[in-house]
Amino acid sequence: MRNTARVIFENETGHPLRIAYPSPALCSLVEYYFEIDLSHATAMQSMKGLPAVTTLLAFPLRPTAWTSVDDANGRVLRLQHSQFLGHLTHSYSSLYAPGTLIFFIKLKPGAAARLFRCPPAELENSQLPLPFLSRDTGLFKNTCLEEQLTAATHFADRVRHCEHALQLTLVELPDTDHRFDMVAHCLRKFESLQLKDEKGLQHLCGSLHVTYASLRRYFLSTLGVTPKFAQKTIRFKKALQEYRSCGYNFYYEDFGYTDFSHFAKDARALTGSSPLEL
């Protein structure tokens, strides 16, 4: 059966998502909170997750399972309990039934490895039961977060409970080092599209006074992916969002692509689909 899942961007309207951003104290840990609410839906909803260096904590608030499909190999999983969803090297599609209500915490790149005290490579493309993974961390040790999220009647209340739990956890996290800080600096450069191609990456290494081999080691130990892959996924998401708005008139060189076919090739490599299908 043809996969009809589509990418949903944060700034789109008309989608079943609620989004809230963290307090300043948690900006180093949390990208944002969001919720899929299909309380009033009458049909199944499908969404595609792009490859990314961020990770997710998913809390189903109703006893409704959802389906996760690995777009690379077609493997299908039925998920029902709280899950950790690791950083993705290729796209995944998810299918949600009417009545679904799931709360998510989208963690910043590298935050999951600090939070769960594990090598980031072990989190790649993972879908793990959250209580088992986090039983020794402050996120669940000191609070009844899952119960609080389920009992809360409003999205804002769930965000507040998460903020409280994460504030308690933050003080227990190991400190970052110069390698983590250097990786975070590089990601900010990638997000700003100041460095969007191979030459930009070479310039970045020069400005940081490190070789690419050293920077690659820093990325692998912090995120579990290489600088080239992180750069590729970030620019592709931004390019796809622009393409969604402008169609074939979007200016591919703004995103480091030599031509449109270069952009389409990245789409196929990362998602198995053409830009138009996403």
Side-chain angles (χ1 to χ4, degrees):
M1 186 171 70
R2 184 177 178 79
N3 187 350
T4 59
R6 296 271 290 172
V7 176
I8 293 178
F9 292 106
E10 294 87 348
N11 63 346
E12 288 185 54
T13 58
H15 55 64
L17 303 184
R18 300 186 185 100
I19 297 177
Y21 292 90
S23 60
L26 291 171
C27 282
S28 63
L29 191 64
V30 178
E31 190 87 16
Y32 55 79
Y33 310 97
F34 70 100
E35 191 168 83
I36 297 175
D37 185 0
L38 300 180
S39 299
H40 303 294
T42 57
M44 303 289 283
Q45 298 278 330
S46 56
M47 303 176 195
K48 185 180 290 289
L50 294 175
V53 291
T54 52
T55 55
L56 296 175
L57 309 181
F59 300 90
L61 305 179
R62 293 175 184 154
T64 307
W66 79 96
T67 301
S68 174
V69 181
D70 186 327
D71 292 337
N73 58 29
R75 185 168 67 105
V76 178
L77 286 178
R78 292 272 292 172
L79 304 174
Q80 188 164 8
H81 303 292
S82 297
Q83 298 282 324
F84 170 81
L85 309 177
H87 62 272
L88 302 181
T89 59
H90 52 269
S91 65
Y92 277 70
S93 298
S94 298
L95 189 64
Y96 304 97
T100 294
L101 180 62
I102 307 177
F103 183 91
F104 294 87
I105 305 173
K106 186 174 184 178
L107 296 174
K108 284 284 185 73
R114 293 178 65 212
L115 184 62
F116 300 122
R117 297 172 176 82
C118 62
E122 294 182 6
L123 305 178
E124 183 175 290
N125 300 318
S126 61
Q127 296 173 318
L128 303 172
L130 192 52
F132 171 77
L133 181 66
S134 57
R135 62 189 175 188
D136 295 325
T137 70
L139 185 60
F140 284 85
K141 184 170 60 180
N142 299 326
T143 67
C144 300
L145 181 59
E146 287 182 286
E147 291 83 353
Q148 291 172 340
L149 294 176
T150 302
T153 55
H154 300 288
F155 177 59
D157 292 332
R158 288 186 273 275
V159 171
R160 180 170 52 81
H161 287 308
C162 284
E163 289 266 304
H164 177 69
L166 289 166
Q167 289 276 11
L168 295 176
T169 302
L170 192 61
V171 299
E172 300 181 3
L173 292 183
D175 293 333
T176 61
D177 57 22
H178 74 282
R179 293 169 299 180
F180 188 99
D181 295 337
M182 188 177 291
V183 168
H185 171 78
C186 294
L187 292 176
R188 289 193 294 271
K189 291 289 188 181
F190 295 159
E191 287 284 350
S192 69
L193 293 177
Q194 295 179 48
L195 306 163
K196 50 185 178 286
D197 54 19
E198 195 82 17
K199 290 182 179 179
L201 200 50
Q202 293 171 3
H203 174 76
L204 179 61
C205 290
S207 68
L208 295 173
H209 307 291
V210 297
T211 64
Y212 178 76
S214 294
L215 191 63
R216 185 177 185 274
R217 287 196 301 272
Y218 298 165
F219 266 74
L220 288 172
S221 65
T222 301
L223 305 181
V225 301
T226 66
K228 289 181 180 179
F229 180 80
Q231 181 191 48
K232 183 177 183 178
T233 58
I234 290 170
R235 75 171 183 178
F236 175 71
K237 179 182 176 180
K238 289 182 174 294
L240 180 62
Q241 191 169 11
E242 181 72 6
Y243 169 73
R244 179 82 64 84
S245 300
C246 302
Y248 288 96
N249 292 321
F250 96 106
Y251 197 49
Y252 47 79
E253 288 190 354
D254 286 345
F255 303 91
Y257 295 109
T258 54
D259 51 31
F260 184 82
S261 64
H262 185 191
F263 169 57
K265 182 180 179 181
D266 260 14
R268 287 287 184 187
L270 292 170
T271 70
S273 301
S274 70
L276 186 62
E277 293 171 320
L278 297 170

